[in-house]
Amino acid sequence: MGYARRGANVSESNTLRQRVAAAVSERDLAKPDVPVLLMVSGGSDSTALAYLARDLHDEGLVGPLAMLHVNHKLRGEDADADARFVEELAELLAVPLFLCEVDVAREARRTGENVEAVARRERYLAANEALESLCLHASAPLADGRIFTAHTADDRVESFYMRSIVGTGPGGFRAMRYRNGPVVRPLLDATRDDLRAYLDDRAQVGLPVARDGSGALWREDATNAHTDRFRAYVRHEIVPRAKERNSQLMEVLCRTMNLIADEDDMLERLVDDLVEQHASWIEHVPGRSPDFAAGCVLAPELGEQPVPLLRRVAVRILHHMLGLEARVETASVDAVLAAWGEARPRGGYVANVQGDLAVSANKQGVRIEPMAAFRARRKRV
């Protein structure tokens, strides 16, 4: 059935839509001609994202839309019911849908990785493929495309506490960015309760809504209640206790994280300049991202910079070498910093870091490259 909004006066829905529209416009998260892929699981957050994005498209704030649903095959019939619900939602909103199935448990057994890490990687692999297809269909450059996710203020606060427990690197306490490359989080200023109230409100005033087999406005993932998973533990045990001490926790902590983000952005601009001045990409293909470089040489004088900036440069280069979705390990960053001694490269220094990368130093600078390339170069010498 086609999507048509009714002219009801809906203060709750209008208020949330205005807040999301303001975040998209003020933070330059998308533009009227930018294709947007919506990652929709069928939960309350992503279901609300789908309705809101369709409204933003109708208002001319974002470009062509498509939805992606990835069935991880982890919850049997419940997972299949999630997919059916998202199909109904896509049909209701007249938005094209990409459906993908991945046996995440089998892939985790094959690789020995954590199930959640595999699921996340497979979701974003599917998202990048779907975005490429959407941009091709819309005759838009892939670099302009956006992937909208339904992360909320709750997710951001949970990430803050998780990083507080296990530690984090430079900029980590901003917790989540509104935009990270093509990935955009337009709902970071809304709470999960805000989004559920929005869905209830739509139904109460007669706006078009999708329902699952039991009549619910979204699908519940029972695994969210399990406290043996780190995020669920923080969500159900730590955040509620913090709210007991401060009922305005979400607002206060998100405001604090935005202050941290402002300072982080300033430091990142300094890093932009340092990388441009002092980083030379090895076998860099002209016109392509440094992600495609075979390695990088950092000039000797970079070691004269303050350690906090040097640390951020190391993170930036390692992300380019490992991929933007990789989690750069503290030990890898420390290994890069250790290549300098008294503000100069330490001749003869060699370290092997994550991703089988080699960090080496001589009077020419500090070099980061695949270990195979390092060994081949040493043989030639």
Side-chain angles (χ1 to χ4, degrees), residues 47-65:
T47 299
L49 173 68
Y51 291 123
L52 288 162
R54 176 60 205 242
D55 286 346
L56 294 178
H57 172 73
D58 290 346
E59 293 164 13
L61 294 178
V62 303
L65 298 178

Side-chain angles (χ1 to χ4, degrees), residues 224-242:
N224 285 337
H226 296 174
T227 54
D228 56 341
R229 297 184 179 182
F230 190 21
R231 181 174 292 276
Y233 167 73
V234 170
R235 177 178 300 173
H236 298 294
E237 299 292 337
I238 294 180
V239 173
R241 294 193 178 190

Side-chain angles (χ1 to χ4, degrees), residues 79-342:
D80 294 337
D82 291 347
R84 290 193 296 271
F85 173 78
V86 174
E87 285 186 273
E88 180 182 338
L89 178 63
E91 182 179 357
L92 173 71
L93 297 178
V95 173
L97 172 65
F98 294 91
L99 275 176
C100 176
E101 291 189 357
V102 181
D103 191 334
V104 167
R106 184 173 63 186
E107 180 66 10
R109 288 193 299 270
R110 185 185 71 81
T111 63
E113 296 175 272
N114 175 278
V115 168
E116 291 178 0
V118 171
R120 182 177 186 276
R121 184 181 70 242
E122 293 296 330
R123 277 199 306 276
Y124 281 99
L125 284 172
N128 286 321
E129 290 180 7
L131 181 63
E132 183 175 0
S133 177
L134 172 61
C135 288
L136 182 64
H137 183 76
S139 299
L142 178 58
D144 290 349
R146 298 287 186 269
I147 298 170
F148 273 22
T149 70
H151 293 101
T152 66
D154 298 75
D155 295 304
R156 198 178 183 199
V157 166
E158 290 160 12
S159 292
F160 179 91
Y161 281 114
M162 291 167 71
R163 293 176 184 185
S164 299
I165 293 170
V166 301
T168 186
F173 282 121
R174 70 188 296 164
M176 285 184 174
R177 295 175 180 267
Y178 287 88
R179 179 183 171 192
N180 187 17
V183 177
V184 169
R185 304 179 178 100
L187 304 184
L188 283 187
D189 294 330
T191 67
R192 190 167 295 118
D193 287 343
D194 289 337
L195 298 177
R196 293 186 173 188
Y198 164 79
L199 294 174
D200 287 336
D201 194 61
R202 286 185 64 92
Q204 289 172 10
V205 300
L207 289 172
V209 292
R211 295 183 183 273
D212 76 350
S214 65
L217 297 170
W218 65 82
R219 294 283 300 165
E220 288 287 1
D221 181 350
T223 61
N224 285 337
H226 296 174
T227 54
D228 56 341
R229 297 184 179 182
F230 190 21
R231 181 174 292 276
Y233 167 73
V234 170
R235 177 178 300 173
H236 298 294
E237 299 292 337
I238 294 180
V239 173
R241 294 193 178 190
K243 285 182 176 179
E244 290 175 4
R245 300 299 297 265
N246 183 358
S247 61
Q248 303 300 313
L249 176 73
M250 291 295 170
E251 179 183 348
V252 169
L253 194 48
C254 285
R255 184 166 62 243
T256 299
M257 286 186 282
N258 282 339
L259 292 174
I260 294 171
D262 287 343
E263 296 181 0
D264 184 53
D265 288 340
M266 180 192 71
L267 290 170
E268 285 299 295
R269 287 192 291 271
L270 294 176
V271 171
D272 290 341
D273 294 338
L274 290 174
V275 169
E276 183 176 353
Q277 295 170 19
H278 300 297
S280 301
W281 298 101
I282 306 167
E283 299 177 14
H284 179 203
V285 181
R288 300 185 78 182
S289 163
D291 295 62
F292 294 90
C296 180
V297 177
L298 301 174
E301 56 269 24
L302 182 62
E304 299 171 4
Q305 295 295 323
V307 169
L309 286 177
L310 193 57
R311 184 178 292 116
R312 284 173 176 266
V313 170
V315 171
R316 176 78 63 84
I317 300 303
L318 289 169
H319 262 140
H320 280 311
M321 299 294 297
L322 298 168
L324 295 179
E325 293 297 326
R327 298 184 185 277
V328 175
E329 298 171 0
T330 300
S332 300
V333 177
D334 290 345
V336 175
L337 269 59
W340 275 278
E342 298 183 357

Side-chain angles (χ1 to χ4, degrees), residues 341-363:
E342 298 183 357
R344 286 291 167 186
R346 295 169 50 196
Y349 174 87
V350 179
N352 186 198
V353 302
Q354 69 183 108
D356 202 25
L357 297 178
V359 180
S360 60
N362 57 33
K363 63 182 180 180

